[in-house]
Each structure stands twice: as structure tokens, then as C-alpha cells.
Amino acid sequence: MIPSGTGNNLISGGGGLWSAAPSHVAVAVTALAGLAVVVAVFCTATRTRLKSPWSRRKRKHALAAHHWRSFFTPDGKLRDGGVKLVKKVRSGGVDPSIRAEVWPFLLGVYDLNSSKEERDIVRSQKRKEYEKLRRQCRRLIKRINESSKLNGDSCSFTQDTDSPSSEDVVSARDSLSSEERIPDVEYSDDPSSTLLDGDDSSRRNTNADAKVLNSDSSDSDSSEEPEVIQTFPSGEGREDNDPDMSSKDESSPSRTEVQSKLSSEDFATWQRIIRLDAVRTNSDWIPYSPSQAEVSQDRAWRSAEAVGLKDYDHLEPCRIFHAARLVAILEAYALYDPEIGYCQGMSDLLSPITAVMTEDHEAFWCFVGFMKKARHNFRLDEVGIRRQLSIVSKIIKCKDSHLYRHLEKLQAEDCFFVYRMVVVLFRRELTFEQTICLWEVMWADQAAIRAGIGKSAWSRIRQRAPPTDDLLLYAIAASVLQKRKLIIEKYFSMDEIIRECNSMSGQLDIWKLLDDAHYLVVNLHDKIEPSF
């Protein structure tokens, strides 16, 4: 028989069965349960936040020269296939003194498993290929000049003579390129070269595009930046894991076939825009490249004349020389990848590379490696841009539903307001040094994926954040999430958000940004991207 009152205790809302136990037992159990919750929360926070390789408390120093040398065997091979290199770079970047040596590995110019002898062969071959492209550029320009003269046009560019000197080394130290030693130099006085609106093959922006791409904080005036451009000409250099390329592997023509269809008019248009953008490129690289900053005025002017640069009298010699290098390399790239050609914004991506790499041919091939991933930003059909904006939108939706709902109300959930960040890979929002830090971490992730590093479950557990091709997009989403309160409480149109994003220039903490991006990768990677 149940004692009187017990039944009421069993069914009462005041504690049920626990009320039949001594009160101190219930208190103890409750305390233990609370402690378990606190421990679980702490462990979760520790796992997702404190393990970040970019956390201020955990951040390691940049890869130093003595560490870099220790990675190699006597025959010049990386001891572990590049694992230590990739991990070190993605946690702290690269010391400026060795960037020119490390970047070709990160950008795929050299294989991570290559020996010194193999790299020397590759370097020699790549230099010859670049010099061949430059000779082809000069022949195209010569043909354009001759055609212009026959038609009575005033437009002319650099002339070409097939002199033996065109075989010489292309170097920022000894020679910008063989063009400098060509005696007959002409360049365009065509006033139409300053007007891009009439060029059908140049990019046109909508009013919305202009709002996204314009920035008062940059002294680069390329506000008519590209929306995006076309498809890769061949399977050579194509990334297997690039979804934008996979469906066209068999149908794409070879680069030779595409180059044979390249019109002189296309190249002339690209050449005019390249020269304009090269002169406008900002000068924040100068303190980081003392050897190029000390170039003489005579040397700079000869370089400028060699590539047909104009309207550069207001620039100091180092900026003229830098602009001339940009012209030579971007012209070669337009010929190398004519389905992309040239689009405004590409000079922003090349400028830091030329500041670090003093050899033109090495800067060119590093740029080619960079563009294997970045080129989908310049496709005419905008497939690459749409995909990336969609990923940023998805990250924000998964992380912060409140912010996402606010963006929906503003019809901004497509995240078009980060368009410029995507196109020029944060170049306008970050300082020169910050840009390089972000890009080096991003390149290290991409190098790890190319080499198959970090794909195993165990390495993924140890690294916490697996390597991703889309680190940039997580960083962009992190920059927006850092402004969530401001966006939700004060902004009521997409134009206001665009202005806020454009005003981020110089205001971002790159390592805090990477730390937040790491947190997003750890927690959302499986929801956003296919698992390894």
C-alpha cells in the first residue's frame, strides 16, 4: 500500500520522483549536470575557436628563411612532399625575404615533389615560352600598326623587329624585356584609347556594378572594372576540381586553335585598356620592393617606351617601371589565354606578384597559376561569380539566419554587395601586406588540395579546418558577419551595404578575419562544400 501523500508527490509538478529523494541529492545531481553543460560548451568553443592557426594566441610566425632551407633534401626535394611547407604557410604566411622562392611552389609553377634539377629545367622552358609569347605580341602589334597606317589611322603601338636580342633574358634587374633594345619604338597617340565605352569587346558595367566596384580609398581609377570574362582555352593548366571547367574538358579547343582565331582588333583593344590600367595601378607596393623602387628615371622611361606606355609623366620612375612590367606581362597573358584576354581588375591581381617577383617570366607564370582559380571571375557568362556569391550567401544563411532574413527584406540575399571583393580577391579592401598574407594562406590551401594533402580523416581532425578552394569566400562572409549588427540596425537598402563594404578598405584585421573564416570552415564546411 502506498503511504499517504506519496502518490501526490509522484505526479505533482513540483519534482515528481526527485521529490521523494533527499533534497541534497537533487541539488548535487543538478550541479553536476550544470557542470557537464559548461564543460561541453567550453570544449566546443576550444575546438572551434582556440585551435585556429590564425588565432592571436595560437598564430605562428611566418615561414622564415632558415626553416625554408631546412625543408629540402640534398637533391633539392621537399622532404615530406610539401606537407610542412603548406602547414607553415597557411598558419603564418611567408617571410618577405623568401617570397620569390616560395610562391612558385604555392602557385603550381613547380611541383611540390620536384627536385632542383627538375625545377631548373622547368624554369628554362617557362622562360623560353614567355619570351616566345612576347615576340608574338610584338608581331601582332606590328601588324596592327601596319594596318592602321594603310587605313590612314593615327593609332600605332610598339613596333617589332625580329632581332637576335629578343632571345635575351627577360628580367626586371637587367631588362624589362627584349623590347627595350629594339631601336624603332612607337606608341599610340590615339585619343580614343582613353575611351572604353565604344569598345564592343571591352567590359560594360551596369549602374549597380559601378557602385560595387568604385572605391574612393584606392588610387587605382579602374572603376570600369570587369563584370567577368570567358572560358579557358585548353586543358593545360586546368584544375581538375574546378566545377566551372569540368564540363568542357573534351570540347574546349587547344590554345593554339584559339590563338589562331584571335583578331588584331581584340588584341588592340586589350592593349589600350592594359596601358590605361597599368598607369593607374596604386603604389602601395613600393615600400615592399626596394630594388624596384630605386630604378632610375632613364631606365623607367626606356621601359615605358618599349611597351608603348603613355601619359606617365606625372609618375615617379619606380611607378613607370612597374607599369611597364604590367603591360608586358598582361599582354603576354592576353595572348596566352585569348578567351579571357584582358579585363579591368586583372592588373590589381598582377601588381603584387610583379612587386615580389623581379623576373618577368617568373611573375608571368605565377600569374598564370593564380589565374587558374581566379580566371572564372572574368568569364563573360558570370557562372563563376554567381557560384561564389551563392556560396557567400549560403555561409551567411547557415551561420546567421537573422542577418540573412534582413538581407532578404532588402532583396540583397544574393550578396551582390560583395561583388568587388570576389572579383579582385579582397585587393581593394586590404593593404598590400594584408592582401599578400590572405593570398598566401589561400594559395597554401589550394596547393594542399592539388597535392592531396589533408584529405584523410585523421589529418582533417588534426587540422580542424580542412583545406578549401573557397577560403576567400569564407573570409568575405566573415567580413560581412563582423558588420552584422550595423547592417541589421542601420541599413535599409543594398546601396547602403555596398557603401559599407567599400568603406572597409584599411579597416580590417587580416588575422582576425582569417580566424573568423577558420571558425566558419570548421562549422559549415560539410554543409557548404562536398566532403573529402
Side-chain angles (χ1 to χ4, degrees):
M1 183 174 177
I2 300 176
S4 175
T6 303
N8 290 334
N9 286 333
L10 288 173
I11 63 174
S12 70
L17 288 171
W18 286 115
S19 62
S23 60
H24 67 276
V25 175
V27 170
V29 172
T30 302
L32 287 172
L35 181 61
V37 171
V38 171
V39 170
V41 170
F42 176 78
C43 290
T44 301
T46 300
R47 182 171 62 251
T48 57
R49 300 297 293 186
L50 300 185
K51 291 294 185 179
S52 165
W54 309 298
S55 166
R56 288 193 179 278
R57 282 168 287 184
K58 290 288 185 179
R59 187 192 160 202
K60 299 175 183 177
H61 296 293
L63 173 65
H66 65 280
H67 286 131
W68 168 242
R69 307 283 183 248
S70 71
F71 288 166
F72 290 91
T73 62
D75 64 347
K77 280 192 173 184
L78 288 168
R79 295 182 186 278
D80 55 2
V83 173
K84 288 182 181 177
L85 168 63
V86 167
K87 286 185 177 181
K88 185 67 177 176
V89 173
R90 79 189 297 256
S91 67
V94 181
D95 186 85
S97 66
I98 55 171
R99 279 174 173 156
E101 299 176 50
V102 178
W103 283 13
F105 287 87
L106 298 180
L107 289 166
V109 179
Y110 300 142
D111 191 279
L112 291 177
N113 288 307
S114 62
S115 65
K116 184 181 183 303
E117 182 180 359
E118 292 168 337
R119 292 193 296 274
D120 287 343
I121 293 172
V122 169
R123 188 174 187 271
S124 177
Q125 291 174 339
K126 293 294 187 184
R127 190 180 79 182
K128 290 177 180 178
E129 288 181 50
Y130 174 72
E131 291 171 353
K132 182 178 179 181
L133 285 167
R134 286 303 306 150
R135 290 195 298 274
Q136 290 173 341
C137 286
R138 293 195 297 276
R139 281 195 288 270
L140 256 177
I141 293 169
K142 182 179 180 180
R143 195 156 63 239
I144 292 168
N145 292 342
E146 291 173 347
S147 176
S148 296
K149 289 175 182 177
L150 287 174
N151 294 329
D153 297 335
S154 61
C155 178
S156 62
F157 300 101
T158 318
Q159 282 192 337
D160 173 52
T161 58
D162 294 321
S163 64
S165 63
S166 62
E167 298 291 344
D168 292 346
V169 176
V170 181
S171 166
R173 292 190 303 270
D174 303 323
S175 172
L176 167 77
S177 67
S178 57
E179 292 98 315
E180 287 190 34
R181 291 185 293 279
I182 298 171
D184 298 322
V185 176
E186 298 180 15
Y187 54 90
S188 174
D189 293 317
D190 182 7
S192 67
S193 65
T194 62
L195 302 174
L196 306 184
D197 292 342
D199 295 326
D200 291 337
S201 58
S202 67
R203 299 303 315 211
R204 294 189 179 91
N205 293 316
T206 63
N207 291 334
D209 294 339
K211 291 175 184 176
V212 177
L213 295 172
N214 285 333
S215 172
D216 296 334
S217 60
S218 171
D219 62 25
S220 172
D221 297 328
S222 303
S223 58
E224 300 167 282
E225 228 157 326
E227 293 177 343
V228 247
I229 292 196
Q230 298 117 311
T231 53
F232 201 70
S234 73
E236 179 183 345
R238 196 186 323 234
E239 293 296 329
D240 293 337
N241 52 14
D242 189 340
D244 295 336
M245 307 297 178
S246 58
S247 62
K248 301 187 178 182
D249 285 349
E250 296 180 1
S251 59
S252 296
S254 67
R255 187 163 70 245
T256 302
E257 291 171 336
V258 173
Q259 287 175 344
S260 68
K261 299 176 183 177
L262 174 64
S263 69
S264 297
E265 290 78 9
D266 287 339
F267 191 82
T269 297
W270 295 332
Q271 216 267 1
R272 287 197 299 271
I273 304 171
I274 287 169
R275 286 186 298 158
L276 289 169
D277 282 0
V279 169
R280 294 168 177 168
T281 301
N282 71 41
S283 58
D284 59 357
W285 59 270
I286 293 175
Y288 301 92
S289 186
S291 63
Q292 294 185 59
E294 294 173 359
V295 66
S296 68
Q297 186 176 70
D298 180 64
R299 177 84 170 88
W301 283 359
R302 283 190 289 110
S303 300
E305 291 173 358
V307 295
L309 206 60
K310 60 180 294 185
D311 298 330
Y312 55 80
D313 292 343
H314 62 291
L315 300 177
E316 57 264 48
C318 61
R319 290 191 65 183
I320 297 171
F321 182 68
H322 185 72
R325 293 190 68 204
L326 292 180
V327 170
I329 294 168
L330 289 169
E331 282 182 356
Y333 185 81
L335 190 61
Y336 173 83
D337 188 358
E339 287 190 279
I340 288 290
Y342 178 76
C343 187
Q344 288 168 320
M346 289 167 63
S347 59
D348 288 285
L349 305 187
L350 175 59
S351 179
I353 294 177
T354 53
V356 169
M357 310 296 296
T358 57
E359 298 276 358
D360 282 6
H361 68 277
E362 289 188 339
F364 172 80
W365 289 109
C366 282
F367 184 63
V368 168
F370 192 7
M371 285 295 289
K372 286 175 185 175
K373 288 298 180 186
R375 70 184 305 281
H376 54 218
N377 292 355
F378 304 98
R379 287 178 55 167
L380 187 61
D381 59 14
E382 298 191 344
V383 168
I385 290 291
R386 288 197 209 101
R387 170 192 168 270
Q388 292 176 89
L389 294 179
S390 175
I391 289 175
V392 174
S393 175
K394 193 180 295 185
I395 293 169
I396 293 173
K397 183 178 181 179
C398 291
K399 179 64 178 70
D400 194 330
S401 58
H402 186 191
L403 173 59
Y404 185 79
R405 285 194 297 271
H406 182 70
L407 295 178
E408 283 184 312
K409 290 178 184 177
L410 306 184
Q411 297 184 328
E413 72 275 12
D414 61 359
C415 290
F416 185 79
F417 51 86
V418 300
Y419 182 95
R420 188 183 74 179
M421 295 181 187
V422 172
V423 172
V424 289
L425 288 83
F426 253 133
R427 181 66 188 93
R428 301 288 182 86
E429 286 68 38
L430 301 174
T431 65
F432 179 86
E433 184 64 24
Q434 287 178 326
T435 297
I436 287 181
C437 287
L438 174 63
W439 287 1
E440 284 174 342
V441 173
M442 182 177 72
W443 294 340
D445 265 15
Q446 293 169 358
I449 291 172
R450 280 198 309 271
I453 300 170
K455 289 190 175 181
S456 70
W458 174 243
S459 64
R460 184 173 175 184
I461 290 170
R462 291 181 61 188
Q463 292 178 21
R464 300 299 180 188
T468 171
D469 272 323
D470 293 323
L471 180 63
L472 173 81
L473 306 182
Y474 287 94
I476 289 173
S479 72
V480 175
L481 290 164
Q482 287 178 0
K483 301 283 187 178
R484 69 173 303 278
K485 185 176 181 181
L486 191 64
I487 292 172
I488 291 172
E489 294 180 358
K490 294 189 176 182
Y491 295 153
F492 301 99
S493 72
M494 188 166 74
D495 287 350
E496 291 177 305
I497 303 176
I498 290 173
R499 283 195 293 272
E500 176 61 35
C501 290
N502 287 352
S503 70
M504 288 181 185
S505 181
Q507 306 300 315
L508 294 169
D509 180 334
I510 184 61
W511 297 108
K512 174 64 166 64
L513 190 67
L514 280 167
D515 193 33
D516 288 350
H518 169 274
Y519 173 81
L520 294 174
V521 174
V522 169
N523 289 278
L524 302 179
H525 182 271
D526 290 337
K527 298 177 182 178
I528 304 301
E529 304 178 51
S531 59
F532 283 112

